[in-house]
Amino acid sequence: MAIRLLLVNQLGVNAGFYLLIPYLAQYLGGTLGMSAATVGLVLGARNLSQQGLFLLGGSAADRLGPRRVIIAGCAVRTLGFALFGLGEGLPALVAASVLSGLAGALFNPAVRAYLAREAGDRKAEAFALFNVFATAGALVGPLLGSALLLVDFRACALTAAGIFAVLTVAQLLVLPERPVPPASGGVLGDWREVLRDRPFLAFALAMSGMFTLESQLYLLLPDAAERATGVSGAVAAVFLVSTLTSLTLQLPLTRALRSRGGRARWIAAGLGVLGLAFLAPVVPGFPPVLVCALLLQLGLMAAQPFVMELVPGFGRPELTGTYFGVFSVLSGITAAAGNAAIGWSMDIAERTGAGWLPWLGCASLGLVSAAAVTRLRGLPRTEPDVAAAPSSPPTVPPAR
């Protein structure tokens, strides 16, 4: 029951998020007439509050219990999204943005900590299904948002707030409370323990390639799709390929790889596929961009569930939320730096005509990350390297 609710919750979280956020910049700059700098301030406040507070959310999950933090996060996002719909002044919109980011910082580490504890030795499959439901939500959200925009942006914001309100109540009533192990020290001591875990930090650094390359679905690939076709809407085909691949293949692929053991091997293989994906668009035309999107999604599908499975295995069970929080902070920082570097290479390519430069940079990053994972020592072992396929299905519903 708990895992089922968490999966449905993630579908709702992504549906509510993507119902609103993709249209926020247009609303701020168009309907409200804000300058680009002001729009950037509002949007940046959400990113900063979320990325900067992941660590607090993870520690709160460890000390208060993931259930309470998940509920608090959904409640806070209800307030934030409602404020987007009801407020028009800059202070109200910045407050809405900060609340929205704080909400993500609370429930993202908490829901992963809860899922990891509930799934037992089936973490990889649970996180694979988690990705499927998240992808479905990300598909439904923009479709619903575009329909609600026919009314106005306020309808989008209040509907999104309503979704999070329903999720808050559902989890309050149905999500089981689990015992919280007593804390053995202070929060700062927990942070020091995690930050002194060298194998974990090395693993998080190696994963910077995965998160940076995943972000190219929103940076490099849309630019390439538009350049190849001359149509701004061509990016929809890129997202369609990515989404359909995830919805149809994520769980079968994870089950097939899991039955063969060797978590680090599959993570490294996924990172290698990510790198190779960015060699396809060196050939001019739109089909290579779609091939890149397909291979990018396949690489993510191979690596991500096992990455999420390994993170809590580095430390004590009492610090699962803190480990996820630190991992999210480090991932956000490295992805931001990687995106800045790729954006810089795109500018150079524009000036010099070296269109291959950003693609080669992405390919190199993926292959270097894959090599780094293969050389890591001290990775947790979740089970023997060769595991028999389970005789019974996991206690999670099939994706619909």
Side-chain angles (χ1 to χ4, degrees), residues 31 46 52 73 102 138 141 159 263 286 377 380 386 395:
T31 305
R46 187 195 67 81
L102 171 61
T159 301
R263 304 300 196 257
F286 187 51
R377 299 293 181 266
V386 178
T395 55

Side-chain angles (χ1 to χ4, degrees), residues 11 13 20 22 44 46 68 75 117 133 154 179 203-204 221 249 252 297 303 331 334 360 364 369 377:
L11 187 152
V13 164
L20 171 68
R46 187 195 67 81
R68 298 180 183 179
R117 292 171 184 173
F133 276 72
R154 178 170 295 182
F203 179 71
L221 288 180
L249 298 179
Q297 194 61 42
S331 300
T334 54
L360 183 59
S364 300
S369 294
R377 299 293 181 266

Side-chain angles (χ1 to χ4, degrees), residues 60-309:
D62 289 334
R63 292 175 174 268
L64 302 177
R67 176 182 179 272
R68 298 180 183 179
V69 180
I70 293 169
I71 293 170
C74 287
V76 170
R77 184 156 282 181
T78 301
L79 295 175
F81 279 8
L83 193 53
F84 272 130
L86 300 176
E88 294 186 356
L90 182 60
L93 292 170
V94 170
S97 196
V98 170
L99 287 173
S100 176
L102 171 61
L106 289 173
F107 63 65
N108 280 341
V111 74
R112 285 161 175 77
Y114 199 125
L115 190 62
R117 292 171 184 173
E118 288 291 310
D121 63 353
R122 311 296 295 279
K123 291 182 182 66
E125 287 176 82
F127 279 112
L129 268 176
F130 188 80
N131 288 346
V132 171
F133 276 72
T135 300
L139 177 63
V140 170
L143 296 177
L144 181 57
S146 61
L148 288 169
L149 278 178
L150 297 175
V151 181
D152 59 16
F153 178 81
R154 178 170 295 182
C156 284
L158 295 181
T159 301
I163 290 173
F164 279 96
V166 170
L167 293 175
T168 303
V169 174
Q171 289 164 117
L172 188 62
L173 296 177
V174 182
L175 191 62
E177 183 76 74
R178 298 298 189 224
V180 181
S184 58
V187 172
L188 293 179
D190 292 347
W191 294 354
R192 283 194 294 268
E193 180 177 339
V194 176
L195 294 174
R196 288 173 180 168
D197 189 338
R198 292 185 178 180
F200 167 70
L201 295 180
F203 179 71
L205 182 60
M207 287 302 102
S208 64
M210 184 179 78
F211 291 101
T212 300
L213 297 183
E214 180 182 19
S215 299
Q216 301 320 303
L217 278 170
Y218 310 99
L219 178 62
L220 185 56
L221 288 180
D223 178 75
E226 184 172 352
R227 288 176 182 273
T229 63
V231 179
S232 59
V235 67
V238 173
F239 287 119
L240 184 63
V241 167
S242 177
T243 300
L244 292 179
T245 302
S246 178
L247 289 175
T248 57
L249 298 179
Q250 175 69 82
L251 188 58
L253 178 63
T254 300
R255 283 175 170 165
L257 298 182
R258 180 183 182 274
S259 68
R260 291 164 175 77
R263 304 300 196 257
R265 181 176 70 216
W266 298 125
I267 294 172
L271 290 169
V273 172
L274 287 177
L276 294 175
F278 288 89
L279 295 179
V282 173
V283 178
F286 187 51
V289 177
L290 296 180
V291 171
C292 178
L294 173 62
L295 293 177
L296 176 60
Q297 194 61 42
L298 288 173
L300 291 171
M301 288 160 48
Q304 275 184 338
F306 299 119
V307 171
M308 294 296 106
E309 182 183 35

